[in-house]
Amino acid sequence: MTEERLHIRLHVYDTDVSVTVPRDEEELYRNSAKLITDIVNSYSAVFKGKKSDKDILYMALIDIALRFEKESRRHDATPLHDILGMLTSEIDDALK
């Protein structure tokens, strides 16, 4: 079964972008475009005329990447897997 795709136009800051997305992810794409626009607008309000547009876009990109990294660390399951492995090993040893 093929996934239904949808062609949409996103307004990202001062640019319209055409993309083809999975239908069930359309809202995520639209929310992402809005987030980018909001963050770039925030940086532009502070730095317009002081920094180049390119610098402002990079600052927004770093902001978004930092949010992603922080969120990724909050959901890192590696320590849980390590503890479960250790407990499983101890249980196996106890049952022998």
Side-chain angles (χ1 to χ4, degrees), residues 3 8 12 14 16 18-19 23-24 35 38 41 44 50 52 56 58 61 69-71 79-81 88 90-91 95-96:
E3 185 174 317
I8 62 173
V12 182
D14 63 354
D16 288 326
S18 293
V19 293
R23 181 174 287 282
D24 62 339
L35 175 66
D38 291 347
N41 282 335
S44 290
K50 300 173 188 170
S52 71
I56 292 170
Y58 281 138
L61 186 61
E69 286 295 322
K70 285 180 178 179
E71 189 65 22
L80 294 174
H81 289 287
T88 302
E90 288 180 11
I91 290 170
L95 292 175
K96 288 183 183 175

Side-chain angles (χ1 to χ4, degrees), residues 43 50-62:
Y43 280 102
K50 300 173 188 170
K51 298 277 187 183
S52 71
D53 287 346
K54 184 177 176 180
D55 286 342
I56 292 170
L57 291 175
Y58 281 138
M59 291 164 65
L61 186 61
I62 290 168

Side-chain angles (χ1 to χ4, degrees), residues 13-60:
Y13 183 55
D14 63 354
T15 303
D16 288 326
V17 180
S18 293
V19 293
T20 303
V21 301
R23 181 174 287 282
D24 62 339
E25 293 182 3
E26 177 187 5
E27 183 179 4
L28 295 173
Y29 277 84
R30 293 194 185 281
N31 290 344
S32 297
K34 183 179 180 334
L35 175 66
I36 293 167
T37 299
D38 291 347
I39 292 172
V40 173
N41 282 335
S42 294
Y43 280 102
S44 290
V46 174
F47 295 106
K48 193 73 169 177
K50 300 173 188 170
K51 298 277 187 183
S52 71
D53 287 346
K54 184 177 176 180
D55 286 342
I56 292 170
L57 291 175
Y58 281 138
M59 291 164 65

